[in-house]
Amino acid sequence: MTTRTAPQRNDPTRTWTVADTKARLSEVLRLAEEEGPQRIGVQRAFIVVPERVWQERAHPRKPLGQWLVENFPRGIELELPSRDDDDREIPFADEANR
């Protein structure tokens, strides 16, 4: 891939050199906002995108409770102990008394 000092508009293969990026950072950022992602570097390439684009593409984590409900195994019967039983064993009770 060739590097250009001043990438041409609407050229999907445009690549900024690191030196050009340092010298013209404002232009790189403006083009990222107006025209889309900007590629910097050839051997170690990086892509500059506006934060709003990054946030739109990020996959937000679901709350654990929602994930558990959605991923609960179907067709399996679980035996749940009664919460009314005063004689039920308290897990880790021995650990609390140490």
Side-chain angles (χ1 to χ4, degrees):
M1 180 175 272
T2 60
T3 49
R4 300 180 191 107
T5 322
Q8 300 298 315
R9 291 185 179 268
N10 301 321
D11 180 0
T13 61
R14 77 178 114 212
T15 300
W16 292 83
T17 65
V18 174
D20 285 339
T21 302
K22 287 179 180 179
R24 299 167 68 184
L25 180 60
S26 294
E27 183 178 358
V28 172
L29 297 176
R30 181 184 59 76
L31 289 172
E33 180 67 33
E34 293 174 2
E35 297 182 11
Q38 301 293 304
R39 183 184 175 110
I40 301 170
V42 176
Q43 292 176 329
R44 292 182 58 213
F46 297 86
I47 304 296
V48 175
V49 296
E51 183 180 8
R52 66 174 171 69
V53 172
W54 181 261
Q55 294 298 332
E56 289 169 2
R57 294 185 181 188
H59 300 288
R61 290 186 176 176
K62 293 180 180 181
L64 179 60
Q66 180 182 355
W67 184 88
L68 288 171
V69 168
E70 291 174 359
N71 292 284
F72 185 80
R74 305 294 185 234
I76 297 175
E77 292 294 324
L78 296 177
E79 183 180 328
L80 300 175
S82 170
R83 293 190 170 255
D84 297 329
D85 188 6
D86 290 334
D87 294 332
R88 69 183 174 133
E89 186 176 319
I90 300 173
F92 308 110
D94 293 337
E95 298 294 322
N97 294 328
R98 288 187 180 183

